[in-house]
Amino acid sequence: MNSTVSFFYFLSFLTILSAVMVVVSRNPIHSVLYLILTFFTLSGHYILLNAQFLAAVNIIVYAGAIMVLFLFVIMFLNMKQDHEESKTNLTKVAATIVGGTVFVILFGAYRKSVIPSYNPDQFDSQVGMIENLGHLLFRDYLLPFELASILLLVAMVGAVMLGKREIGERHF
């Protein structure tokens, strides 16, 4: 077996395991740490796809900045509950139905998907490079790029307003 293929399978296993641990873990700090591991393994997949810039941005933006923000919010909320509220049977049944429905939809989409065959004559090694990504981002997707920056700015202002407590003022 090729070393790239075995590395892909290892990364895939680690990605799925860490993503499941994000959901299963009861401690929010552990969930965030597993999410950081998930982002690092996804960056490994980007490197295998010859998209080094996306791998670096994934590590810097998601594993760095956003995870620090998640940890800050978790620490800010100061969740010191020793016990979790007991869930009713109706909640458990509803969660099982929703999870099963999502599984059926994903399985149906997987069965209907067509995987194209690999043609080495049409291989382009420059697909994930920075220059092509920049042309695509600033030419075809300029408006969504700018709207995302405005959304992030509004989210930062909202976080500052929620975090700011003045004497005598009610907290949201």
Side-chain angles (χ1 to χ4, degrees), residues 21-152:
M21 290 304 293
V22 168
V23 178
V24 173
S25 179
R26 292 195 179 270
N27 188 345
I29 302 294
H30 293 161
S31 290
V32 169
L33 293 175
Y34 283 123
L35 191 57
I36 291 172
L37 179 63
T38 305
F39 285 139
F40 273 103
T41 56
L42 287 176
S43 293
H45 285 287
Y46 286 142
I47 289 172
L48 287 176
L49 290 171
N50 199 23
Q52 292 85 6
F53 178 72
L54 286 179
V57 167
N58 188 35
I59 289 173
I60 292 169
V61 173
Y62 287 108
I66 292 179
M67 287 300 107
V68 167
L69 180 67
F70 279 7
L71 283 173
F72 173 73
V73 168
I74 289 171
M75 302 281 185
F76 183 68
L77 291 177
N78 196 12
M79 299 167 37
K80 288 187 178 179
Q81 294 179 348
D82 291 336
H83 63 282
E84 184 179 331
E85 295 179 13
S86 62
K87 294 181 176 51
T88 63
N89 286 337
L90 179 64
T91 306
K92 292 176 183 177
V93 169
T96 304
I97 291 171
V98 169
T101 305
V102 168
F103 177 75
V104 167
I105 290 171
L106 288 175
F107 185 72
Y110 171 72
R111 287 192 58 211
K112 294 289 183 184
S113 64
V114 177
I115 300 173
S117 62
Y118 174 68
N119 187 358
D121 296 332
Q122 296 177 346
F123 178 71
D124 184 15
S125 65
Q126 299 298 315
V127 168
M129 294 297 151
I130 299 172
E131 182 179 352
N132 294 333
L133 183 66
H135 283 299
L136 186 69
L137 183 65
F138 291 117
R139 184 183 51 214
D140 298 338
Y141 296 102
L142 183 62
L143 180 63
F145 180 72
E146 291 297 326
L147 289 176
S149 67
I150 292 171
L151 178 70
L152 288 173

Side-chain angles (χ1 to χ4, degrees), residues 69 72-73 76 152-165 171-172:
L69 180 67
F72 173 73
V73 168
F76 183 68
L152 288 173
L153 178 66
V154 169
M156 282 191 299
V157 170
V160 168
M161 292 302 293
L162 286 175
K164 183 180 175 184
R165 291 184 185 173
H171 190 64
F172 298 103

